[in-house]
Each structure stands twice: as structure tokens, then as C-alpha cells.
Amino acid sequence: MTIDIIKKAKTIFWDFDGVIKESVKVKSDAFEKLFSPFGSRLAKKVREHHEKNGGVSRYEKFPIYLNWVGEHITKEKLDYYEKSFSSLVKKKVIDSPWVEGAKEYLQQYYTKQLFFLVTATPQLEIEEILKQLDISHFFKTVIGSPTKKKDALKKLIIKYQIDIKDAIMLGDSFSDFDAAKFNNIEFVLRKTDMNKKLQLFNMHQSLENLNG
């Protein structure tokens, strides 16, 4: 069983949205709402792109979407969209349901395994979310954007001299899969309705929840 493989790992790199919290739809809804003033068709296009590129930082997505609507991209405009997006999602992410078994697994095993959190959510925002959820202490280190996930894993592996043979990346997106592959770490997929294409690879372990 995959849950047993997770338990055997000495180090787990965790993604957040879709792995710890059922918060992926929250982000999709926010992107669509933010760009709805440009029309429902464009807003839907933004949503679909976001969902196909789950785990990619919003910092990389906003320039693409602003280009689609013909907006001149400036630092001020990017800051405006970032702050607007953050205000839409932060409380909803905190209030979203836990992935089944995730909180219990963190509570039970954080003293027995080494946990790191690697996410595309901006650094200060994820730190505030974890603080509100009272789960910061489960993780040795938390790295959010703008650091790319593959670079975050590499940095942590070197800093903590992690044996990659005993480590896994637990994620739900291609960016998680790519980060694991780049660092020669086993990838474990948390299956959702939004990553069916990734499920088709069938080259990795997968699970639906963290019970067991």
C-alpha cells in the first residue's frame, strides 16, 4: 500500500493545496473571479490554464493573463493583482476542508519523520496560513514562491544532507512531479479530479487520501 511507502520514508516534501487542504478549487474560483471583468470567456480561459498548470506560482501566471487581456504589465499592476488574489483566497484556504487523513498524519508522524513544505503559495501568505491553522511546527522548513519547487528541493537536500533514497515528494501537480524527478526523488501522487492527466502516467505511486 502506498501509505506504507510514505511511512517508510525518512523525509517527506509536502505540497499544500490538494495535499494537505482541499483548496485547489478555491484558487481556481479566485482566478476566474479576478478576471471576470474581462468577460466570461476570458475568465474561463484563465481558469482552465490555471488548472492545467497547478502548482505553478501565480507570479508566473499573472503576466500571461494580463498579456491575454492586453494590459500593460508593470510592477504596480502585478502587485495589485497579487494583493487582490491573496485577499480572495487566504481565508477560504484556511477554512477549506482538510484532505482526509492529512492533519492526523502530520500530528502522528512529525516527530518520527522529517517534514518540509514546498508550495507555490507566496512565502508570507503560506506562513500566515500555517500559523492560523496551527501546523507550522510540523515542518522543519517552509518554502513558498517565488522559489521554484525544484530549486527548493535541491536547496533543502543540500542544506540538510538528505539521502534522496529515503525521501519522497507528496504532491498533486506536474510541478510537484517535475520537482521530484529533477532531484531524483520518488514521487507520490495525491489523486484528485483535477490531475487525471497526471494519473495516466502510471509511473509513480498514488493515493486518494492519507488514511491508513
Side-chain angles (χ1 to χ4, degrees):
M1 293 178 63
T2 302
I3 195 70
D4 293 327
I5 292 174
I6 293 174
K7 289 177 181 177
K8 290 177 182 177
K10 292 182 179 179
T11 301
I12 300 179
F13 297 97
W14 294 76
D15 178 40
F16 185 81
D17 295 308
V19 174
I20 294 175
K21 278 279 195 163
E22 298 281 19
S23 46
V24 175
K25 186 177 182 295
V26 168
K27 304 290 179 73
S28 298
D29 291 345
F31 272 113
E32 186 169 6
K33 183 175 181 178
L34 202 56
F35 285 89
S36 61
F38 298 99
S40 59
R41 183 177 296 180
L42 185 282
K44 184 178 179 182
K45 181 181 178 182
V46 166
R47 184 189 186 102
E48 289 174 350
H49 179 274
H50 160 68
E51 291 180 350
K52 288 178 181 177
N53 295 275
V56 176
S57 168
R58 68 190 70 163
Y59 295 123
E60 297 180 52
K61 292 175 179 175
F62 280 133
I64 296 172
Y65 304 157
L66 289 172
N67 184 58
W68 285 352
V69 300
E71 290 276 347
H72 181 61
I73 299 172
T74 63
K75 183 181 184 302
E76 290 74 22
K77 187 152 290 183
L78 290 172
D79 286 345
Y80 166 78
Y81 275 90
E82 156 58 24
K83 289 176 182 176
S84 298
F85 186 89
S86 181
S87 67
L88 284 172
V89 302
K90 188 157 62 174
K91 187 176 188 307
K92 289 184 178 179
V93 168
I94 291 169
D95 293 341
S96 63
W98 294 90
V99 169
E100 190 176 345
K103 187 177 183 181
E104 292 79 7
Y105 191 95
L106 290 168
Q107 290 172 326
Q108 185 174 353
Y109 290 99
Y110 82 100
T111 59
K112 303 170 185 175
Q113 296 171 292
L114 190 59
F115 292 163
F116 297 98
L117 187 69
V118 179
T119 174
T121 301
Q123 186 72 36
L124 293 179
E125 185 176 309
I126 191 62
E127 288 176 0
E128 176 61 25
I129 288 170
L130 297 180
K131 181 179 178 182
Q132 291 290 323
L133 293 171
D134 193 26
I135 61 172
S136 301
H137 58 289
F138 293 147
F139 304 102
K140 180 74 172 178
T141 302
V142 174
I143 299 182
S145 63
T147 304
K148 293 183 182 296
K149 291 182 180 180
K150 66 183 182 68
D151 296 328
L153 263 65
K154 182 178 180 181
K155 176 182 177 181
L156 293 169
I157 290 167
I158 293 171
K159 180 177 180 179
Y160 294 99
Q161 298 182 321
I162 294 167
D163 187 342
I164 59 175
K165 297 192 302 296
D166 296 320
I168 63 169
M169 173 73 203
L170 181 55
D172 70 325
S173 68
F174 275 102
S175 67
D176 301 323
F177 173 77
D178 291 340
K181 185 177 180 181
F182 179 82
N183 288 283
N184 296 310
I185 289 175
E186 182 170 5
F187 178 66
V188 178
L189 174 69
R190 193 267 160 147
K191 296 191 291 185
T192 72
D193 290 339
M194 296 175 66
N195 60 25
K196 292 186 182 298
K197 186 175 180 181
L198 184 52
Q199 294 175 36
L200 294 176
F201 274 85
N202 199 31
M203 294 164 52
H204 39 69
Q205 303 288 336
S206 63
L207 49 76
E208 294 184 359
N209 57 58
L210 283 150
N211 285 332

